Amino acid sequence: FNYMKNLILNFDLGSSYVSGQSVMKEIAARAPYTLRVAFISLLIAIVIGIPLGVIAATNQYTWKDSLSMLLSMLFVSMPSFWLALTLVLIFSVILGILPAVGIASWKSYIMPCFSLSVGTAASLARQTRSSMLEVIRQDFIVTSRAKGVKETTVIYRHALKNALIPIITTIGDKLGTMLAGALIAETVFAIPGMGVYIMNAINRRDYPVIGGTALVMSVWF
């Protein structure tokens, strides 16, 4: 009762057992990193996934379709933490062109966001292909083509706009996946966000931090 009263009236999530710091203040300091990683990753997934699905649908049963779906199946099956470690090995250890841990500059976001986005991009590509195939067979698409409308206009202005409803639903659902995946990416790349915060709390059995972080992320989603 006291916990809920303090939460509702004062937005107070209690204090950490370990550090004694306010959980809400710690979350406020770390939340921007987590949200930044999640939303950048989602944007990358949209930019890659939807065009890939459109290409697959408009070139059905060709090598472009087969290659797109092969890549989608590969990336949707690939664990994000394994991909993250592989990227660190290649681009940080071997090539030395990207920082392995921490947030020093915009380059520090490249590997975490890419490793987090590929699985969602693959799912969006498959959903886009399925939705587009349903739409491009409908009568209004045939009519548009019969009127001599440019093919790019038919695909992107008429077909894609009508196919976006299930795709947008999928994007909303994937936002929750991104928030959860951001915790893994932050742990692998030592980003000072909520992922590292909650993992340290779990290891130390710091229950106010665990409960507060889980509650805030649930409210976000």
Side-chain angles (χ1 to χ4, degrees):
F1 174 79
N2 288 332
Y3 181 84
M4 293 304 298
K5 181 184 70 173
N6 291 331
L7 175 62
I8 294 171
L9 297 180
N10 303 316
F11 298 102
D12 184 7
L13 292 169
S15 299
S16 167
Y17 288 161
V18 177
S19 66
Q21 299 294 320
S22 167
V23 174
M24 184 62 81
K25 289 182 179 179
E26 288 289 328
I27 289 176
R30 297 169 180 271
Y33 294 104
T34 300
L35 292 174
R36 201 173 294 128
V37 169
F39 280 103
I40 292 174
S41 300
L42 186 61
L43 181 61
I44 293 172
I46 292 171
V47 169
I48 295 174
I50 293 179
L52 198 63
V54 171
I55 291 171
T58 53
N59 296 276
Q60 189 180 18
Y61 303 132
T62 65
W63 67 269
K64 294 180 181 179
D65 183 20
S66 300
L67 180 60
S68 298
M69 290 302 99
L70 178 63
L71 291 174
S72 297
M73 184 174 64
L74 175 66
F75 286 127
V76 81
S77 306
M78 188 180 298
S80 60
F81 71 89
W82 179 87
L83 178 59
L85 294 173
T86 303
L87 292 175
V88 169
L89 179 64
I90 295 173
F91 292 101
S92 297
V93 178
I94 298 176
L95 299 177
I97 58 177
L98 293 175
V101 295
I103 296 294
S105 66
W106 62 270
K107 292 182 179 180
S108 302
Y109 287 98
I110 294 177
M111 290 194 294
C113 294
F114 181 76
S115 64
L116 190 58
S117 66
V118 290
T120 299
S123 297
L124 288 177
R126 295 166 70 89
Q127 179 64 61
T128 303
R129 178 183 184 274
S130 177
S131 299
M132 285 290 293
L133 287 176
E134 290 182 9
V135 172
I136 60 178
R137 295 190 181 103
Q138 295 184 14
D139 292 341
F140 74 94
I141 297 295
V142 177
T143 303
S144 297
R145 285 171 172 162
K147 288 181 177 180
V149 179
K150 292 172 60 177
E151 185 65 14
T152 53
T153 303
V154 171
I155 296 300
Y156 290 100
R157 186 172 180 180
H158 298 294
L160 182 58
K161 285 177 70 174
N162 284 276
L164 278 179
I165 296 174
I167 298 171
I168 292 172
T169 305
T170 302
I171 291 171
D173 181 61
K174 290 299 179 182
L175 178 58
T177 305
M178 288 297 185
L179 289 171
L183 305 187
I184 299 173
E186 287 173 8
T187 303
V188 173
F189 293 99
I191 299 173
M194 293 174 65
V196 174
Y197 188 47
I198 196 171
M199 287 303 297
N200 291 336
I202 290 170
N203 292 330
R204 298 169 179 173
R205 301 196 177 190
D206 195 347
Y207 298 117
V209 173
I210 299 170
T213 307
L215 179 61
V216 168
M217 295 194 70
S218 300
V219 171
W220 284 351
F221 181 54

